[in-house]
Amino acid sequence: MPDAKTLLILDVDTGIDDALGLLYACAAPQATILGVSTVAGNVDLTRATRNTRAVLALAGRPEIPVWPGCARPIMREPEDASEIHGGSGLGNAILPEPAVAANAGNAIDEIVAAAKAHAGEIVLIATGPLTNVAVALMREPELPKLLKRLVLMGGAFKEGGNTTPAAEFNIWHDPEAARIVFQSFGGEGSAPLVAVGLDVTRQTLLLPEHLRDLARRCEGAAHAPALLQFLQDSTRHYFERVEKREGRRYFVMHDPLAIAAAIDPTLIDTAAVAVDVETTGTLANGMTLADWRGVWRRKPNAQVAVGVRAERMIEDFIAAMERLARR
Ligand code: BDR
Ligand code: CA
């Protein structure tokens, strides 16, 4: 069962799957979104912020505050993922230019202030590189005790990476930040850190027939044309790329799964394990090492997703999109 009422802050680098995750969160009746912070990753910070505002407007939620955060990793040069998400970050989708809020707060200030104002209540969901979260932890080391849960999309714990053979993109983009984040959790009084990695996201696939089914279900709904156009245009670039490589079309729901599992933890199974991040390797930078055999003899600092109810997640996603179309 989903949590009764969940206060959310999302930290995103809005590419395509972040966008789908944002739409899902906007449609979740049991979620209250306090704000969305942005970080450089899939696209630069300006793009990520603009895309986020545009997607919230598409969802009919332009009032949700968007807080720009870090424009670059802690120690490295930023490298975007435009090959996967397209130059704009949203595939072939074109959204109207969103209104810019006059006094958008800064991500770090806002995350820390909200965590103090709602101690023990906020689920922070990170679906981009962990730069903002790490800087917030450096600013406020008590953050792990102030949150209800940190749920992040990142890592590859039993299988290989998607950016290098060892590393998943979000962790690889800013491994120093990821290391700070993992090392900050697991102590006395710490909220759980839930890591939703490639092990489960790669099993959670949106297919062209799901979008066709959605189009049938939303016929005549007021917001269906704009929403369907966005879903089709944003995923086309990715579908075509995967088809060229593998001969079939699918879209991996990395970020939507992390967001859905943050709202409804029963979508995934997790295992408690000690996790650390490689930051000084020559071949394995950004690799998430999970000590499954306990050879480090460290206390577990993460709940790593090891199983997923993927079919249910996709059904929930399609139902959420139908609600958005009919709002
Ligand atoms: C992650 O990398 C990004 O490109 C996606 O938005 C997702 O957060 C998957 O490895
Ligand atoms: Ca992302």
Side-chain angles (χ1 to χ4, degrees):
M1 275 294 290
D3 285 1
K5 192 76 189 169
T6 313
L7 289 188
L8 302 182
I9 294 179
L10 295 106
D11 186 66
V12 298
D13 60 333
T14 304
I16 307 166
D17 62 330
D18 301 78
L20 270 50
L22 283 167
L23 293 173
Y24 180 91
C26 287
Q30 67 277 40
T32 301
I33 304 174
L34 294 178
V36 183
S37 51
T38 56
V39 66
N42 287 327
V43 285
D44 67 27
L45 183 68
T46 307
R47 269 271 154 212
T49 305
R50 185 248 172 228
N51 288 350
T52 301
R53 289 199 175 107
V55 169
L56 292 175
L58 175 70
R61 302 294 303 279
E63 80 288 357
I64 294 176
V66 178
W67 307 315
C70 298
R72 46 179 302 127
I74 291 177
M75 291 175 61
R76 298 172 193 248
E77 289 304 313
E79 277 189 57
D80 68 29
S82 48
E83 200 195 328
I84 293 161
H85 296 268
S88 74
L90 297 177
N92 299 110
I94 297 172
L95 289 176
E97 198 54 41
V100 177
N103 294 311
N106 165 273
I108 314 305
D109 297 341
E110 298 291 344
I111 291 171
V112 171
K116 286 182 177 168
H118 303 275
E121 290 184 84
I122 292 179
V123 177
L124 175 60
I125 311 174
T127 64
L130 291 164
T131 322
N132 288 345
V133 183
V135 175
L137 283 162
M138 289 191 274
R139 171 84 63 81
E140 180 45 86
E142 295 289 296
L143 195 56
K145 293 186 187 161
L146 293 169
L147 294 173
K148 181 174 179 184
R149 198 153 65 235
L150 169 66
V151 180
L152 62 91
M153 190 283 131
F157 299 90
K158 289 191 176 178
E159 61 169 86
N162 60 357
T163 304
T164 72
E168 179 280 329
F169 177 78
N170 287 339
I171 306 295
W172 170 86
H173 194 264
D174 194 348
E176 283 76 19
R179 187 147 205 251
I180 290 168
V181 172
F182 277 99
Q183 291 190 344
S184 300
F185 281 75
E188 204 52 43
S190 168
L193 181 168
V194 180
V196 179
L198 299 181
D199 315 77
V200 287
T201 62
R202 274 187 180 144
Q203 298 174 43
T204 311
L205 306 181
L206 183 74
L207 306 175
E209 59 251 41
H210 294 131
L211 294 181
R212 285 197 289 273
D213 175 41
L214 176 65
R216 274 192 298 273
R217 283 166 59 164
C218 311
E219 239 174 49
H223 298 282
L227 183 65
L228 287 168
Q229 172 121 38
F230 176 75
L231 293 173
Q232 281 155 2
D233 290 351
S234 62
T235 51
R236 191 181 329 121
H237 174 80
Y238 188 107
F239 279 149
E240 284 167 0
R241 189 169 173 274
V242 174
E243 186 173 35
K244 229 177 258 168
R245 196 179 61 209
E246 297 177 32
R248 67 186 186 116
R249 289 182 166 228
Y250 63 86
F251 180 88
V252 184
M253 298 285 268
H254 301 290
D255 296 344
L257 175 62
I259 292 169
I263 296 169
D264 178 0
T266 67
L267 283 170
I268 54 171
D269 300 316
T270 60
V273 65
V275 171
D276 210 333
V277 179
E278 178 59 271
T279 56
T280 57
T282 44
L283 295 173
N285 261 323
M287 182 174 184
T288 38
L289 287 123
D291 182 15
W292 295 112
R293 292 190 177 176
V295 290
W296 282 337
R297 300 191 188 286
R298 292 189 201 165
K299 210 173 149 232
N301 57 345
Q303 298 284 337
V304 167
V306 291
V308 57
R309 275 158 278 288
E311 210 175 304
R312 201 177 100 208
M313 189 275 154
I314 296 293
E315 279 165 17
D316 289 357
F317 178 80
I318 295 300
M321 295 306 102
E322 185 177 354
R323 280 198 301 279
L324 268 192
R326 294 191 183 285
R327 73 183 187 271

